[in-house]
Amino acid sequence: MNVTLKIQSIEKKYQTVKALDDVSLNVEGGKILVLIGVNGAGKSTLLKILSGLEKPGKGKVLFNNKPINATELRQIATLVFQRTAMFDRSVYDNLAYGLKIRGKKDPEIEAAITEALHSVGLRNFEKRKAKRTSGGEQQRIALARAFLLEPEILLLDEPTANLDPNSAIIIEKAIMKRKAHQHVIIIATHNLSQAQRLGDEIVHIHDGKIVEHAGSKEFFDKPQSEVTRKFINGELEF
Ligand SMILES: Nc1ncnc2c1ncn2[C@@H]1O[C@H](COP(=O)(O)OP(=O)(O)OP(=O)(O)O)[C@@H](O)[C@H]1O
Ligand SMILES: [Mg+2]
């Protein structure tokens, strides 16, 4: 059965800034939902709330139609930031940690890590010191780590922002493969062509509000709102 995630009338304020204002959204497993919007629009705030790292001021989140709190969200959701901290150990140890605490056996862990590293284009990186790898490599290790955990909600904040074009395509393919797991996948990106390639559905957040939500083709071909039309044509003025 497909999982569902429902966001109902969420509001998040930081002092005087309303980062999210009455945001409601239904997300289905097995599809990729892409969040787009200008700097400061509220994309990362929404991802943080869905990962349980931040609590909304108002509103609620439902998982498979049951209300779910931040502590419970932390157990089923994984958020990959643009920059992720690595332990001062090997790449293998960094990837194995989450699997070991779940009681997985070594041969199973080894095979899963080999496959995950391959999927992000880092074959044979097991023995390298994680902290000495490059910024883009660390971003890909963080993605491999998230894939290995098989979270029911996978949240990616600008997953290819530091990557060379070739690696970005490898990562896009790896993300698309995750659809087969029928989990919820939400990605924030500034790259509109990437949004078009990856997104089954696109959500445009502007000033903390959802101004447009549609299937990818409809979203880019016939945006309903004026602000979305301007945003995708690079004509937004401030
Ligand atoms: N911890 C915080 N304290 C104060 N204000 C915050 C905090 N986190 C976010 N904000 C503010 O909330 C708004 C939304 O921020 P958010 O990081 O969600 O934007 P974003 O859409 O991810 O932007 P970007 O594209 O630059 O990553 C911004 O105005 C930001 O300055
Ligand atoms: Mg952000």
Side-chain angles (χ1 to χ4, degrees):
M1 194 199 74
N2 266 9
V3 297
T4 61
L5 184 67
K6 291 185 180 159
I7 299 154
Q8 294 184 335
S9 306
I10 284 206
E11 181 181 300
K12 179 73 187 174
K13 270 190 192 161
Y14 295 107
Q15 296 92 39
T16 53
V17 180
K18 228 186 222 183
L20 293 175
D21 184 4
D22 196 16
V23 167
S24 297
L25 187 62
N26 288 353
V27 191
E28 261 178 60
K31 284 188 185 171
I32 295 179
L33 185 109
V34 173
L35 302 176
I36 60 174
V38 296
N39 292 136
K43 305 177 297 294
S44 298
T45 304
L46 182 57
L47 294 179
K48 283 185 203 151
I49 287 173
L50 295 178
S51 68
L53 288 182
E54 298 263 11
K55 289 183 185 166
K58 285 188 197 157
K60 55 185 173 188
V61 181
L62 286 88
F63 183 69
N64 290 340
N65 295 315
K66 289 194 205 97
I68 183 165
N69 64 30
T71 312
E72 293 163 328
L73 275 170
R74 283 202 292 276
Q75 285 160 11
I76 61 164
T78 299
L79 170 58
V80 182
F81 297 97
Q82 234 180 291
R83 302 178 65 86
T84 311
M86 297 279 147
F87 306 121
D88 196 9
R89 303 278 296 267
S90 67
V91 169
Y92 184 91
D93 288 346
N94 272 270
L95 294 177
Y97 179 75
L99 300 177
K100 279 193 178 146
I101 54 177
R102 288 178 183 193
K104 293 241 160 96
K105 301 273 174 291
D106 282 348
E108 196 187 341
I109 293 178
E110 272 174 40
I113 288 177
T114 304
E115 195 202 323
L117 282 173
H118 182 200
S119 79
V120 297
L122 295 177
R123 215 197 275 257
N124 298 328
F125 263 61
E126 283 91 336
K127 294 202 175 103
R128 296 228 201 165
K129 283 234 171 221
K131 284 202 164 177
R132 303 240 177 92
T133 55
S134 78
E137 286 165 353
Q138 287 191 30
Q139 195 173 9
R140 286 146 73 194
I141 296 165
L143 281 163
R145 186 159 66 183
F147 293 163
L148 281 164
L149 294 175
E150 302 232 355
E152 292 191 86
I153 305 172
L154 178 64
L155 307 163
L156 307 175
D157 204 350
E158 300 176 39
T160 62
N162 294 317
L163 303 188
D164 67 77
N166 194 63
S167 300
I169 293 296
I170 291 173
I171 292 304
E172 286 184 9
K173 284 188 183 149
I175 294 170
M176 275 193 270
K177 271 197 173 170
R178 308 305 298 176
K179 291 210 277 187
H181 296 246
Q182 299 297 317
H183 297 156
V184 165
I185 307 173
I186 306 179
I187 305 168
T189 183
H190 286 121
N191 181 333
L192 295 182
S193 353
Q194 177 172 71
Q196 260 175 316
R197 286 190 297 273
L198 285 183
D200 294 297
E201 289 181 29
I202 317 285
V203 165
H204 180 195
I205 302 188
H206 192 73
D207 250 346
K209 296 186 194 68
I210 293 181
V211 289
E212 185 101 16
H213 176 189
S216 177
K217 184 164 176 12
E218 200 187 337
F219 184 99
F220 287 103
D221 288 354
K222 287 192 217 106
Q224 300 295 304
S225 83
E226 182 67 5
V227 64
T228 300
R229 198 188 58 71
K230 286 190 171 158
F231 179 65
I232 60 186
N233 290 320
E235 294 164 358
L236 265 189
E237 285 163 27
F238 292 92

